[in-house]
Amino acid sequence: MDIRSVGVVGAGQMGNGIAHVMALAGYEVLLNDLDKETLDAALERIARNMDRQVRGGKVSEQDKEAALARIKTTLELTDLGRCDLIIEAATEREEIKQKIFDTLLPHLKPETILTSNTSSISITRLASRTDRPERFMGFHFMNPVPVMQLVELIRGIATDEATFQACKAVVDRLGKTAASAEDFPAFIVNRILMPMINEAVYTLYEGVGSVQSIDQSMKLGANHPMGPLELADFIGLDTCLAIMNVLHDGLADTKYRPCPLLTKYVEAGWLGRKTKRGFYDYRGETPVPTR
Ligand code: NAD
């Protein structure tokens, strides 16, 4: 399978990073979202992030210009039908993803590989509702995509070997490392990471520590580059809560129950960096803990 063009659905935090790395690796990219403002903001962000890579000597000015020229945007999801590989990176809600696949399917080439960047939704279930469960799999990037080395590749129960190898070849060409994960709730990284973040929120909720002392403890005491609450803000508290719910429902074990304080922050619309407030307030010069 010769993959030359990649369609990316959703131009949010992950979608713009995926378009960025795909274009730098030489793929033609078609990026889709619901409104023009989001697409324009994504292109601006990609250009800014590539500028940073140029300043750091990681990318040449010429390669940056060539990569930017390879990224096109569209508001018409069905335009992605001509791509060889689709990576769906829209909001983490199953009904949204389902609707995207339903709309796309009649427009896809028979050989097109369909993938989802979902952090937690069952690949087998998403695949079973398409016309190509054997050419469907999980293509799970880490945030921020241009920086993080790992991509989890998740086979659904029906995914065939050729599809897995084609996706693995794409990861290789990106210069990243693929980890193969079986299709169980939250796969590998989030299965381990999210319960730790959730436990950090319980630690805050029960008054064992403040935001600052919890983050400092894990940075200096466990050698983590970021504290768990800082990391939760970075990922998005809505995403963290959604993943905890998937673990809780999917594994039916109370050890995965989401902390009520996490739910409260999400209900307040304090979703972390993307809304400028979460466990820290980002509206000023330096982040200020909110508890
Ligand atoms: P985000 O909210 O930043 O972006 C989602 C984008 O999808 C938005 O721009 C939204 O307008 C768009 N969208 C929603 N419905 C759409 C539709 N019908 N058609 C086209 N676009 C649509 O979210 P994100 O953090 O980029 O997450 C996207 C996906 O990546 C989720 O499945 C999430 O689980 C996964 N993921 C997130 C992270 C992370 O750290 N944030 C890491 C790995 C994977």
Side-chain angles (χ1 to χ4, degrees):
M1 283 183 202
D2 190 18
I3 292 171
R4 288 160 188 243
S5 53
V6 181
V8 180
V9 187
Q13 288 193 85
M14 297 304 290
N16 82 63
I18 296 168
H20 173 137
V21 297
M22 289 289 172
L24 268 183
Y27 294 102
E28 295 297 328
V29 177
L30 191 53
L31 183 59
N32 161 261
D33 206 299
L34 296 173
D35 54 69
K36 188 169 179 306
E37 294 68 44
T38 308
L39 289 173
D40 289 346
L43 287 179
E44 261 175 50
R45 172 165 282 234
I46 293 169
R48 256 199 333 268
N49 288 342
M50 284 190 191
D51 277 336
R52 191 175 310 134
Q53 289 178 308
V54 170
R55 282 198 302 276
K58 294 198 176 95
V59 172
S60 73
E61 182 66 33
Q62 206 179 6
D63 287 350
K64 179 197 94 178
E65 293 300 336
L68 288 177
R70 278 192 284 270
I71 304 176
K72 309 276 185 305
T73 60
T74 179
L75 290 171
E76 289 302 323
L77 180 60
T78 53
D79 287 348
L80 272 59
R82 59 175 186 268
C83 297
D84 303 322
L85 168 68
I86 305 283
I87 302 180
E88 172 281 311
T91 311
E92 184 75 343
R93 297 236 312 267
E94 193 158 345
E95 66 275 20
I96 291 180
K97 296 186 187 293
Q98 188 62 55
K99 197 153 167 254
I100 288 169
F101 293 134
D102 288 348
T103 308
L104 261 176
L105 283 175
H107 302 271
L108 296 181
K109 299 185 286 184
E111 65 274 21
T112 296
I113 294 178
L114 203 50
T115 69
S116 175
N117 184 49
T118 178
S119 298
S120 58
I121 299 170
S122 162
I123 297 300
T124 301
R125 193 167 59 237
L126 289 174
S128 72
R129 300 182 190 131
T130 72
D131 61 353
R132 60 194 69 211
E134 65 290 343
R135 279 192 301 289
F136 191 106
M137 59 183 291
F139 208 124
H140 186 223
F141 287 88
M142 310 291 130
N143 187 18
V145 179
V147 176
M148 300 297 279
Q149 185 60 30
L150 188 78
V151 178
E152 279 181 306
L153 290 180
I154 304 109
R155 289 181 175 91
I157 202 165
T159 309
D160 66 22
E161 187 57 22
T163 299
F164 181 84
Q165 290 304 335
C167 290
K168 166 91 171 46
V170 172
V171 176
D172 290 346
R173 183 158 155 197
L174 295 177
K176 295 192 184 289
T177 304
S180 168
E182 290 301 316
D183 183 27
F184 288 103
F187 320 129
I188 298 174
V189 174
N190 283 322
R191 169 76 179 264
I192 299 169
L193 180 64
M194 285 303 158
M196 186 201 71
I197 286 177
N198 193 49
E199 201 58 32
V201 185
Y202 267 113
T203 311
L204 179 68
Y205 176 64
E206 290 168 9
V208 181
S210 64
V211 167
Q212 203 165 19
S213 61
I214 291 166
D215 276 350
Q216 200 172 50
S217 298
M218 292 309 285
K219 281 195 282 194
L220 302 182
N223 224 10
H224 289 194
M226 282 173 105
L229 300 172
E230 203 185 343
L231 180 58
D233 276 358
F234 189 75
I235 293 168
L237 304 191
D238 51 342
T239 303
C240 294
L241 180 61
I243 297 171
M244 285 313 296
N245 280 324
V246 166
L247 283 169
H248 194 224
D249 297 344
L251 298 167
D253 189 329
T254 54
K255 76 177 177 182
Y256 298 113
R257 68 200 186 284
C259 179
L261 186 61
L262 180 61
T263 307
K264 192 190 270 196
Y265 269 74
V266 172
E267 282 172 350
W270 293 13
L271 307 182
R273 278 185 181 268
K274 63 184 168 188
T275 57
K276 300 224 176 304
R277 219 176 337 180
F279 292 114
Y280 293 85
D281 186 333
Y282 300 93
R283 290 171 300 173
E285 284 272 293
T286 46
V288 180
T290 53
R291 280 180 103 77

